[in-house]
Every structure is written in C-alpha cells, then in structure tokens.
C-alpha cells in the first residue's frame, strides 16, 4: 500500500488545548528589594505586561497585609513610592515638592503619604488601579505621576520623619507637630474606628447633598453648612469640623482605616485592604529638582491617566 505523501494527509482540524499563560510567582519576589532606582522603575513598568497577560492579582492577601502592618515598618524599606497628581510637580512656576507644604514644631517642609516599592509592585503604572489600591478617588480628568524615592539618599537632605498610618502613631505625630490644632484630648476622641465611621458617613452625606463640591473637598465652611442641617449637637459638629481640618493638614481622609492599611477599592480584587502606608513629614524644604539632581528620586511615569 502506498504511503500518502505529506501533502495528501488531511489536516488535523481538532482544537488544540492552549498553552497556559506564564504567570509571575509573587512568592518568589516577596522581600526582594530593587538593586537601584533604575531597577525599581524597570520592575514597576514591567508589571503592565504581566497584568495585560493575566489580569490583576494582589501581591499580598488581607491576612499578610495585616501582619505586615502589625509587625513591620515599611517606612524602613529603602525604596518608597509616591503617587500624586502631576499638577503638584510645579508650584508657582518653581519645582514642587513630594507633598503639600506643612510647618510643624520640628520643621517646615513637605507632608505626604506613601508606601514601599514592595507594596505597590503589583499595580504597574495604571493610574486608576493605583488610586484604587491606595484607597483614593480616581479623577479621570487629572494626570498623575509615580515617583520612586531612594530614602538613603533623600533622608539626609529632607530630614524626613515617617510614621506608620495607625490611629495611635498618626495621633502622636499630630500631637507633637501640631499641638495647638490637634491636642491629645482631641485625637483621643476622634482617632477611633467609631468616630472615623461617623466622620466618613457625614462626609459622604455632605458630598451627596451637594454641600461639598467633590470627594476631595476640605472646605470646613461648606461642611458646616451640611452639619447645620443635621440634629447633631454643637459639640459633635465642632469635633467633625476639627476632624476635617485634620484631614486638610495631616491627610487622613474619609477613607482612613486607622490600622496602617489603605482601603482596597479595586473591583474584583478579593481584598479589603490595599497597601501598608506611611505618613511622612520632610522637615527641610527640598524640591523635586534638588532630589532628582542627587539621584534620590526617579520618575516611573509622568502625566499618565
């Protein structure tokens, strides 16, 4: 019998099982720090391809994040990540700073909230994804910037003081740096899960009623207009207004968890918590250009959405 030539063989029309997509094993990457700012930038950018292939997967579980917040201090990790709106890159035509200006008892510089490279590595450079992971409200009309900070090079210039974002540590920070505005008797009352829930609820009601123009507002007079429509006592109103002033000065907003973790707002992530975060106060006014010139920061992305 004649053996058919290859051209005479009928093609195999059966569907072949696709090869499984290669997936990054995060367990092999936990605790492995970047070797340089350039390495950190490269690794953050590389996650875009990973997410495009396999979708977003949180690097840590809720339990792991809680353990990191309770037992670790991510502010001690060398490479930190700062995410902010690009409009803050300049200030009246001059280079901006890593955060909003703040004058405290121990200095006068920038105040900002951040997390470590390790905590944000899984979110690449997608502004909405990063915003949701950090518990922030994403603004589709804004442009964002992601910066990696080499704290070993930055700290000697900025004199930065960093604290975990817990009720206790942020209260101590406010008592120490802004004692007149936020004394201990005030923070003992408002820096609790119960009062935070109350503040978050009334803040959202003020937004929904139109009294506050958006979810970023810290206009106390507008908040007072809303509070005057409630049946709250004058003491309660005073505390809530002072709490908004604290949000404006310190940055613990209506979504603040108080346990050192951000709220995860990523749809379908399966996590309640996003990252372990840190409150930073630079006690020397050092701008972004000065930090870049000494190799203390590197931009991952500028002006992205």
């Amino acid at each position: 019998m004649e053996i058919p030539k290859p051209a005479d063989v009928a093609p195999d029309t059966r569907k072949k099982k696709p090869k499984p997509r290669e997936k990054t094993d995060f367990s092999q990457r936990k605790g492995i720090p970047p070797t340089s700012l350039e390495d950190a930038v490269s690794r953050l950018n590389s996650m875009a391809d990973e997410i495009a292939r396999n979708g977003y997967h949180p690097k840590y579980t809720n339990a792991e994040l809680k353990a990191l917040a309770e037992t670790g201090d991510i502010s001690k990790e060398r490479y930190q990540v700062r995410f902010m709106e690009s409009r803050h890159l300049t200030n009246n035509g001059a280079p901006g700073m890593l955060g909003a200006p703040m004058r405290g008892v121990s200095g006068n510089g920038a105040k900002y909230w951040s997390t470590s490279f390790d905590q944000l590595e899984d979110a690449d450079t997608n502004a909405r994804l990063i915003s949701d992971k950090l518990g922030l409200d994403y603004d589709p009309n804004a442009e964002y910037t992601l910066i990696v900070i080499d704290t070993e090079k930055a700290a000697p210039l900025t004199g930065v003081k960093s604290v975990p974002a817990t009720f206790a540590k942020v209260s101590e920070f406010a008592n120490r740096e802004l004692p007149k505005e936020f004394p201990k008797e005030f923070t003992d009352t408002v820096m609790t899960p119960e009062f935070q829930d109350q503040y978050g609820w009334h803040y959202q009601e003020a937004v929904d009623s139109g009294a506050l123009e958006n979810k970023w507002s810290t206009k106390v007079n507008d908040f007072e207009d809303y509070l005057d429509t409630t049946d709250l006592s004058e003491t309660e109103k005073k505390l809530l207004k002072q709490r908004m002033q604290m949000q404006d000065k310190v940055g613990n907003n209506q979504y603040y968890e108080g346990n050192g973790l951000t709220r995860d707002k990523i749809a379908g992530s399966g996590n309640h918590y996003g990252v372990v975060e840190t409150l930073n106060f630079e006690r020397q006014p050092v701008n972004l250009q000065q930090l870049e010139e000494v190799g203390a920061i590197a931009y991952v992305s500028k002006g992205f959405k």
Side-chain angles (χ1 to χ4, degrees), residues 140 157 200 231 298 301:
L157 294 176
D231 58 1
S301 293

Side-chain angles (χ1 to χ4, degrees), residues 37 40 44 73-82 112 114-118 147-151 162 276-278 280 296 298:
L37 279 177
L44 285 167
D73 186 353
I74 67 160
S75 67
K76 294 179 181 178
E77 294 180 23
R78 178 173 179 175
Y79 295 98
Q80 301 288 315
V81 182
R82 170 71 170 137
Y112 60 96
S114 68
T115 190
S116 68
F117 165 87
D118 174 64
I147 302 173
V148 181
I149 306 161
D150 182 340
T151 59
S162 302
V276 184
E277 66 177 345
T278 300
N280 308 278

Side-chain angles (χ1 to χ4, degrees), residues 5-25:
K5 298 177 181 178
D8 298 328
V9 177
D12 186 354
T13 58
R14 292 174 298 176
K15 290 184 178 180
K16 296 182 180 180
K17 186 177 179 180
K19 294 181 179 179
R21 290 177 175 177
E22 188 177 318
K23 185 176 178 181
T24 302
D25 183 0

Side-chain angles (χ1 to χ4, degrees), residues 26-273:
F26 275 125
S27 67
Q28 299 300 313
R29 298 169 68 177
K30 290 180 181 179
I32 302 175
T35 57
S36 64
L37 279 177
E38 292 74 19
D39 183 38
V41 170
S42 175
R43 283 169 61 174
L44 285 167
N45 280 316
S46 72
M47 284 308 301
D49 293 336
E50 166 72 19
I51 293 172
R53 290 196 306 269
N54 300 306
Y56 170 74
H57 299 279
K59 184 173 184 178
Y60 294 112
T61 65
N62 280 323
E64 290 169 333
L65 288 168
K66 288 177 70 175
L68 285 168
E70 291 167 2
T71 63
D73 186 353
I74 67 160
S75 67
K76 294 179 181 178
E77 294 180 23
R78 178 173 179 175
Y79 295 98
Q80 301 288 315
V81 182
R82 170 71 170 137
F83 175 70
M84 63 184 187
E85 289 190 28
S86 297
R87 60 190 175 92
H88 299 305
L89 293 175
T90 58
N91 182 21
N92 294 324
M97 298 190 292
L98 276 171
M102 177 180 142
R103 182 180 295 276
V105 169
S106 67
N108 174 32
K111 172 268 304 176
Y112 60 96
W113 296 65
S114 68
T115 190
S116 68
F117 165 87
D118 174 64
Q119 289 287 298
L120 206 63
E121 186 181 9
D122 59 1
D124 85 322
T125 52
N126 180 301
R128 180 183 291 277
L129 187 63
I130 295 172
S131 294
D132 288 347
K133 189 175 180 68
L134 296 176
L136 302 172
D137 286 312
Y138 172 72
D139 182 356
N141 297 314
E143 292 187 342
Y144 293 90
T145 290
L146 188 63
I147 302 173
V148 181
I149 306 161
D150 182 340
T151 59
E152 287 190 8
K153 294 182 179 180
L157 294 176
T158 63
V160 67
K161 172 65 177 176
S162 302
V163 299
T166 62
F167 284 125
K169 295 298 184 181
V170 173
S171 293
E172 291 171 3
F173 170 83
N175 301 156
R176 181 177 63 252
E177 295 294 342
L178 302 163
K180 292 182 179 179
E181 296 93 332
F182 312 116
K184 188 175 187 302
E185 54 267 28
F186 167 72
T187 56
D188 283 351
T189 300
V190 306
M191 294 290 276
T192 66
E194 295 76 20
F195 192 94
Q196 178 62 29
D197 287 345
Q198 182 184 12
Y199 176 66
W201 190 87
H202 283 292
Y203 189 103
Q204 188 59 51
E205 286 292 301
V207 172
D208 293 342
S209 70
L212 291 178
E213 59 186 350
N214 54 48
K215 292 181 283 187
W216 301 277
S217 177
T218 52
K219 294 181 178 179
V220 177
N221 289 339
D222 291 346
F223 194 39
E224 183 176 25
D225 290 340
Y226 156 75
L227 294 173
D228 286 341
T229 68
T230 70
D231 58 1
L232 294 168
S233 69
E234 290 304 312
T235 298
E236 290 172 314
K237 292 178 185 178
K238 182 180 178 181
L239 285 171
L240 286 164
K241 287 186 291 182
Q242 195 172 356
R243 176 63 181 83
M244 177 174 275
Q245 290 170 337
M246 189 179 188
Q247 174 176 336
D248 183 45
K249 290 279 189 180
V250 178
N252 46 335
N253 64 18
Q254 68 269 36
Y255 304 120
Y256 178 62
E257 292 282 335
N259 58 2
L261 297 161
T262 64
R263 184 179 304 180
D264 187 343
K265 298 168 65 180
I266 302 171
S269 79
N271 269 6
H272 177 76
Y273 300 118

